[in-house]
């Protein structure tokens, strides 16, 4: 039996760059895909959200909803329900975070819009990340990071600060603290910020990566594990207690754009690597034992998906297994405007 199997693809019409599955029962089959395209004739960036229901045993990518939007750079479902609602955050090309709610009739409805800058300021919101259902971190094209509090009245901008010299490609919460935000930028640097004082970073690393830092993910299971990815094609694993040196280095053969931990176990990382497709990385490896002083493991690529014909950008794990025990994965690519669903048998 094939380790990796393509199931279906769908033409998104506009360039596709992000996709994510809903993490809440009974909607685990729901996935959202975002697109971004520059219309040179109109000097504008347009996008579209497409909502899909992806049953692992009966794949059908016909969208159940389409929502036009400014260009979309990132989409993230809340990790916990926000005021008993399932919420979705969208980072767009006019410097906004748009919060949608997901209704029981399986549609999204726009609830709030928060500008992170003047709308005419030419600033793109590049990434967003939730802490639970109450806070959103945002990075932007001017090298700044912002934090929003989410309340009944909508998002409230509580802080914006200069984080990087060039584009801040990513901002992500430490999964284990609502006060700690990591950022990565086109200046080849990644930093850790404490929301209680953002005048200077808690941690700055300028030497680990040789090109822009694009993805930073703390393990949801082990509070000591951190993964960073970069245009320099390297996945670095870190022990947060010993940040002077990385634990392991894995060359993925293409610029790393997105990293996603496997749901529940967080044993594997799913990586989108731009010019080299998508990879599944076993982060337990062959030496899964840990010591009190420092973690030790050797990540190994255990599967690759190369069916896209353009830049590999968006990816996510399905949270449902098929009847044969295969894991469903969604991925999307840019210039071929394509959303794929494939499966992996561990």
């Amino acid at each position: 039996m094939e380790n990796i199997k393509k199931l279906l693809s769908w033409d998104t019409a506009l360039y596709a760059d992000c996709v994510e599955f809903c993490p809440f029962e009974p909607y685990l089959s729901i996935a959202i895909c975002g697109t971004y395209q520059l219309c040179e004739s109109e000097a504008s960036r347009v996008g579209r959200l497409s909502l899909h229901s992806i049953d692992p045993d009966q794949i059908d990518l016909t969208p159940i909803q389409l929502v036009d939007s400014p260009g979309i750079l990132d989409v993230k479902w809340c990790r916990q329900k926000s005021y008993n609602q399932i919420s979705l955050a969208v980072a767009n090309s006019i410097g906004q975070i748009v919060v949608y709610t997901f209704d029981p009739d399986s549609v999204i409805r726009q609830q709030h819009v928060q500008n992170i800058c003047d709308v005419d300021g030419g600033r793109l919101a590049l990434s967003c990340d939730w802490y639970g259902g109450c806070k959103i971190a945002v990075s932007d094209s001017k090298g700044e990071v912002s934090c929003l509090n989410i309340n009944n009245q909508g998002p409230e901008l509580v802080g914006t600060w200069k984080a990087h010299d060039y584009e801040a490609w990513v901002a992500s919460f430490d999964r284990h603290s609502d006060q700690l935000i990591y950022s990565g930028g086109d200046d080849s640097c990644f930093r850790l910020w404490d929301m209680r004082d953002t005048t200077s970073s808690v941690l700055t690393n300028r030497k680990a990566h040789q090109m822009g830092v694009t993805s930073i993910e703390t393990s949801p299971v082990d509070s000591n594990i951190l993964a960073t990815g970069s245009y320099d094609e390297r996945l670095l694993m870190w022990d947060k207690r010993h940040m002077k040196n990385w634990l392991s280095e894995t060359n993925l053969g293409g610029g790393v754009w997105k990293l996603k931990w496997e749901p529940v176990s967080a044993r594997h990382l799913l990586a989108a690597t731009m010019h080299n497709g998508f990879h599944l990385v076993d982060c337990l490896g062959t030496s899964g034992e840990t010591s009190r002083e420092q973690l030790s493991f050797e990540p190994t690529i255990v599967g690759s998906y190369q069916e896209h014909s353009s830049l590999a950008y968006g990816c996510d794990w399905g949270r449902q297994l098929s009847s044969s025990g295969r894991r469903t994965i969604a991925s999307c690519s840019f210039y071929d405007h394509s959303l794929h669903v494939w499966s992996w048998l561990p």
Side-chain angles (χ1 to χ4, degrees), residues 214-271:
T214 50
S215 190
I216 304 173
E217 292 290 334
T218 49
S219 168
V221 173
D222 190 328
S223 61
N224 294 317
I225 294 179
L226 177 73
T228 62
S230 165
Y231 287 139
D232 67 9
E233 306 186 353
R234 295 152 66 231
L235 163 66
L236 301 183
M237 304 297 296
W238 303 80
D239 183 335
K240 286 158 53 180
R241 300 165 298 180
H242 305 275
M243 291 295 290
K244 289 186 177 181
N245 295 293
W246 56 89
L247 293 174
S248 67
E249 174 182 336
T250 307
N251 193 305
L252 297 180
V256 180
W257 180 251
K258 189 72 71 177
L259 298 170
K260 292 282 188 76
W261 287 102
E262 183 180 14
V264 184
S265 71
R267 171 169 174 168
H268 298 90
L269 271 171
L270 173 61

Side-chain angles (χ1 to χ4, degrees), residues 316-330:
D316 199 23
W317 302 86
R319 287 161 172 78
Q320 295 174 306
L321 298 179
S322 70
S323 57
S324 59
R326 299 180 72 94
R327 172 76 74 181
T328 304
I329 296 169

Side-chain angles (χ1 to χ4, degrees), residues 136-188:
I136 300 175
V138 189
S139 69
D140 67 43
S141 58
K142 300 294 186 181
E144 294 187 346
V145 170
S146 302
C147 184
L148 312 178
N149 279 347
I150 307 300
N151 53 46
N152 278 321
Q153 287 72 46
E156 174 192 6
L157 185 63
V158 294
T160 297
W161 61 94
K162 186 69 173 179
H164 296 276
D165 295 333
Y166 306 107
E167 292 92 340
W169 292 122
V170 62
S172 65
F173 277 101
D174 187 303
R175 292 282 193 97
H176 308 277
S177 172
D178 67 344
Q179 298 297 322
L180 300 178
I181 297 175
Y182 289 93
S183 68
D186 209 47
D187 52 8
S188 307

